[in-house]
């Protein structure tokens, strides 16, 4: 029997180095399998569409600017300002989708992530809005873990 309770996208948690960080938005959780089209000699009706490697978008994290010391921002600065003379430190980052009780439904773990872009929203004197910092991360691959009930409910 299928559950009538579907996960909501506003209750999530981001973890880096075992510490939780609050973010307003997470985007870029996607994976795509590439294809290569191969023309068959003498066959003009179609092309073979063969699978190639998979690719992913960068992970983008957005939150209100944190004015006090931030290990995440320090990591971004040391990775991007250090030049190629120092080794970039990679970290695993997890994004967990939570249920109403705060229990994990699905977790995406991004392996060997490192910052490639840091930006701050525009400063406008005419608007009363929070200053948002964005951190864009590249990573090697990601894995999906669930608590066992989420995926089983998808196919009931």
């Amino acid at each position: 029997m299928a559950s009538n309770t579907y996960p909501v996208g506003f209750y999530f948690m981001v973890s880096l180095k075992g510490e939780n960080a609050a973010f307003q938005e997470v985007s870029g959780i996607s994976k795509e399998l590439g294809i290569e089209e191969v023309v068959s000699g003498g066959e003009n009706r179609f092309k073979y569409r063969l699978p190639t490697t998979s690719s992913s978008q960068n992970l983008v994290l957005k939150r209100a600017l944190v004015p006090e010391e931030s290990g995440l921002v320090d990591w971004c600065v040391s990775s991007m300002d250090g030049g190629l003379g120092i080794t970039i430190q990679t970290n695993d980052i997890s994004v967990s989708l939570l249920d109403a009780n705060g229990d994990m439904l699905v977790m995406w773990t991004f392996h060997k992530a490192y910052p490639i872009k840091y930006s701050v929203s525009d400063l406008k004197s005419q608007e009363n809005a929070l200053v948002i910092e964005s951190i864009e991360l590249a990573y090697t691959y990601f894995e999906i873990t669930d608590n066992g009930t989420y995926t089983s409910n998808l196919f009931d």
Side-chain angles (χ1 to χ4, degrees):
M1 181 173 175
S3 171
N4 291 335
T5 306
Y6 294 98
V8 293
F10 62 81
Y11 198 20
F12 61 91
M13 176 176 60
V14 178
S15 299
L16 168 70
K17 295 183 181 181
E19 294 183 20
N20 297 334
F23 284 91
Q24 140 185 350
E25 183 180 333
V26 175
S27 62
I29 302 176
S30 70
K31 193 179 291 192
E32 184 176 336
L33 184 63
I35 61 164
E36 177 182 353
E37 292 186 347
V38 178
V39 178
S40 177
E43 180 61 67
N44 295 326
R45 294 180 296 156
F46 63 90
K47 297 176 186 175
Y48 292 102
R49 302 182 78 194
L50 306 175
T52 60
T53 59
S54 65
S55 62
S56 301
Q57 294 182 359
N58 293 327
L59 183 65
V60 180
L61 308 174
K62 294 182 180 182
R63 68 178 179 183
L65 183 69
V66 179
E68 59 266 355
E69 186 73 18
S70 167
L72 183 61
V73 173
D74 291 343
W75 178 47
C76 291
V77 169
S78 67
S79 296
M80 290 186 274
D81 291 347
L84 297 177
I86 63 168
T87 304
I88 293 177
Q89 298 299 316
T90 61
N91 289 295
D92 291 349
I93 294 179
S94 62
V95 177
S96 300
L97 183 63
L98 308 174
D99 66 9
N101 298 322
D103 297 323
M104 186 267 297
L105 291 172
V106 181
M107 180 171 65
W108 296 268
T109 304
F110 300 87
H111 295 278
K112 297 185 179 181
Y114 58 94
I116 60 169
K117 183 178 179 181
Y118 174 83
S119 62
V120 175
S121 62
D122 295 339
L123 306 175
K124 300 178 182 177
S125 63
Q126 299 89 359
E127 294 181 11
N128 184 18
L130 290 174
V131 176
I132 303 297
E133 65 181 350
S134 298
I135 299 168
E136 190 168 336
L137 305 162
Y139 55 90
T140 306
Y141 66 99
F142 72 86
E143 294 178 317
I144 304 170
T145 308
D146 65 53
N147 66 3
T149 60
Y150 174 69
T151 54
S152 64
N153 285 341
L154 286 177
F155 302 107
D156 287 346

